[in-house]
Amino acid sequence: GANGELRLASALFGGKDDKSRPKIMANVINFDVEAFRALAAEFAAVREETELLGGLMAMAICASELDSSAQSNLEEFNRVCDGMCVSLAQREAGVAVFQASARLAAELPPAGRLERAFAAACEMDDASLCLHAQVWEAFHICAARHGPPGADAHRRRLAMALLSDSARADAVRRAAEALAFDRPVVKGTILSSTLLGGMPPQLRGQVMLLLAVVLRLMRHADPLETEEHLLALFEARPLLRDALSASMWFEDDGKTLRQEFQPSKKSKR
């Protein structure tokens, strides 16, 4: 229990960082045991101790009602990790979930020329395509860089579980199910193909993201690694050829990059 300002959770989840500065979480006013158990179910199959502890720490913060000094759940989690001097793997287990969940909850960006073309190729509305792309981007955040292989699966489930009270939860879940189709990773070198009309380098990341999404939505299981693969894809899906042609990137003169795709100018100081 609590004794004035002395609370067990703050004493356990915190300490001093590597520069001996105190780092503890905000005081816990209330704790929702049922909410914690529901979240913990998403990590039921996790056996790697560091991954499990990091995830459970994140869930405990989410299930807690903190006092007015509290910052965001991610900031509270990082403060606890600093105080406990945890490993990169343990920190990643929670940070990845918080960041992915925030991405899932973020307002959808407006569809640009590129997104509209890919949406047409999928025969879906622009907003739906943007949602699927956002879900896939969020799922990529869950990839294990310091944690155990395969950690992305349960991290994704937990990130979605944190949205359970959101109006977008059902749409995110349906998008995740649609994106669960297993297919080979698109090889990045394919973007250098002359078939793509001189794609500007600054667009490669977004094109790779959109290809990963639409090929799953189309249930296209063939690899995309060579120009032969690309030609076969274009023959099967002509609208994708249009979406990735020179006219997508350039004005009618074939040389001037469209305003939408021009790099933003850095302000001079």
Side-chain angles (χ1 to χ4, degrees):
N3 181 13
E5 291 301 311
L6 301 178
R7 297 177 184 271
L8 182 59
S10 300
L12 291 177
F13 294 102
K16 291 185 176 181
D17 64 13
D18 56 358
K19 294 183 180 179
S20 296
R21 295 173 298 192
K23 297 284 184 177
I24 58 174
M25 68 183 292
N27 284 330
V28 178
I29 298 174
N30 194 21
F31 185 75
D32 190 334
V33 176
E34 293 305 316
F36 176 76
R37 287 174 177 167
L39 294 175
E42 305 299 343
F43 269 46
V46 178
R47 295 292 178 265
E48 206 282 326
E49 293 180 357
T50 300
E51 177 77 9
L52 181 59
L53 182 56
L56 290 174
M57 285 168 50
M59 297 173 210
I61 290 174
C62 290
S64 299
E65 178 186 352
L66 304 177
D67 68 16
S68 59
S69 70
Q71 299 177 336
S72 69
N73 285 342
L74 174 58
E75 290 171 309
E76 290 296 322
F77 179 79
N78 273 325
R79 190 156 53 177
V80 169
C81 289
D82 289 342
M84 297 175 68
C85 296
V86 305
S87 65
L88 288 174
Q90 184 171 330
R91 185 189 294 266
E92 181 186 271
V95 168
V97 169
F98 283 129
Q99 290 179 339
S101 184
R103 188 75 189 101
L104 291 173
E107 183 178 352
L108 286 179
R113 181 182 178 86
L114 187 61
E115 289 75 23
R116 290 194 297 271
F118 270 87
C122 285
E123 299 181 341
M124 67 193 316
D125 63 85
D126 300 345
S128 183
L129 186 278
C130 288
L131 174 62
H132 283 79
Q134 187 162 296
V135 170
W136 187 253
E137 190 176 22
F139 282 179
H140 183 70
I141 296 173
C142 294
R145 294 162 180 83
H146 301 284
D152 55 322
H154 56 259
R155 291 178 183 180
R156 291 176 180 185
R157 291 195 301 270
L158 180 56
M160 289 192 292
L162 295 181
L163 286 181
S164 59
D165 295 330
S166 168
R168 189 182 291 180
D170 287 341
V172 167
R173 177 183 53 78
R174 289 192 297 269
E177 290 173 354
L179 293 169
F181 181 74
D182 189 28
R183 58 154 287 107
V185 175
V186 175
K187 195 169 183 179
T189 54
I190 196 64
L191 300 187
S192 299
S193 170
T194 56
L195 296 174
L196 301 184
M199 180 191 302
Q202 64 269 26
L203 294 178
R204 294 188 173 203
Q206 184 65 4
V207 170
M208 286 289 287
L209 170 66
L210 292 174
L211 280 173
V213 169
V214 301
L215 294 180
R216 284 172 170 79
L217 296 179
M218 292 174 173
R219 297 301 188 254
H220 186 85
D222 295 338
L224 189 55
E225 300 178 352
T226 66
E227 285 201 347
E228 289 74 18
H229 294 154
L230 194 57
L231 279 170
L233 175 63
F234 287 167
E235 289 176 5
R237 301 284 182 170
L239 289 179
L240 275 183
R241 184 197 301 271
D242 297 340
L244 295 171
S245 66
S247 61
M248 171 59 65
W249 333 116
F250 300 107
E251 300 286 0
D252 293 340
D253 62 8
K255 297 182 294 184
T256 305
L257 191 63
R258 293 186 183 277
Q259 181 67 37
E260 179 179 344
F261 301 133
Q262 291 184 9
S264 58
K265 296 181 179 179
K266 295 182 179 179
S267 59
K268 296 181 179 179
R269 294 185 177 181

